[in-house]
Amino acid sequence: TKVFLVKIKFSSFEQILVDERTNEISISTNELPIKGRANKVIIKIMSRYFNIKPANVKIVRGISARTKIIQIS
């Protein structure tokens, strides 16, 4: 199990930048933060990057914030 501090940016393209030393991740997404759609895309991006199932990615804190704590198991 790993915990990451994730900072979200909204832009016209999807991108993920990971700093393994500090456990910080910066994610850019083109999905708007309406009705949790951006959170679903963030979980999908992280599961693709770490090559795990989306069910193993959990937002621990910051559901409605741009800075989130996300746990990967």
Side-chain angles (χ1 to χ4, degrees), residues 12-42:
S12 60
F13 59 93
E14 289 184 359
Q15 178 182 357
I16 182 168
L17 300 170
V18 179
D19 186 353
E20 295 270 349
R21 292 178 297 122
T22 61
N23 285 344
E24 287 188 16
I25 298 176
S26 178
I27 296 178
S28 298
T29 179
N30 57 358
E31 190 64 59
L32 295 176
I34 299 172
K35 295 185 180 178
R37 292 190 309 203
N39 288 335
K40 290 177 186 174
V41 170
I42 290 162

Side-chain angles (χ1 to χ4, degrees), residues 4-6 17 21 25 41 52-53 61 66 68:
F4 292 94
L5 176 68
V6 180
L17 300 170
R21 292 178 297 122
I25 298 176
V41 170
I52 58 175
K53 295 179 183 177
R61 183 173 284 160
R66 286 187 182 208
K68 303 175 184 303

Side-chain angles (χ1 to χ4, degrees), residues 1-6 8 25 27 39-48 50 52-63 67-73:
T1 302
K2 264 193 149 183
V3 178
F4 292 94
L5 176 68
V6 180
I8 310 303
I25 298 176
I27 296 178
N39 288 335
K40 290 177 186 174
V41 170
I42 290 162
I43 289 172
K44 188 170 83 173
I45 290 171
M46 289 190 66
S47 66
R48 259 191 317 216
F50 289 105
I52 58 175
K53 295 179 183 177
N56 293 335
V57 180
K58 180 181 176 187
I59 299 175
V60 178
R61 183 173 284 160
I63 289 286
T67 302
K68 303 175 184 303
I69 304 290
I70 296 184
Q71 177 181 343
I72 296 177
S73 53

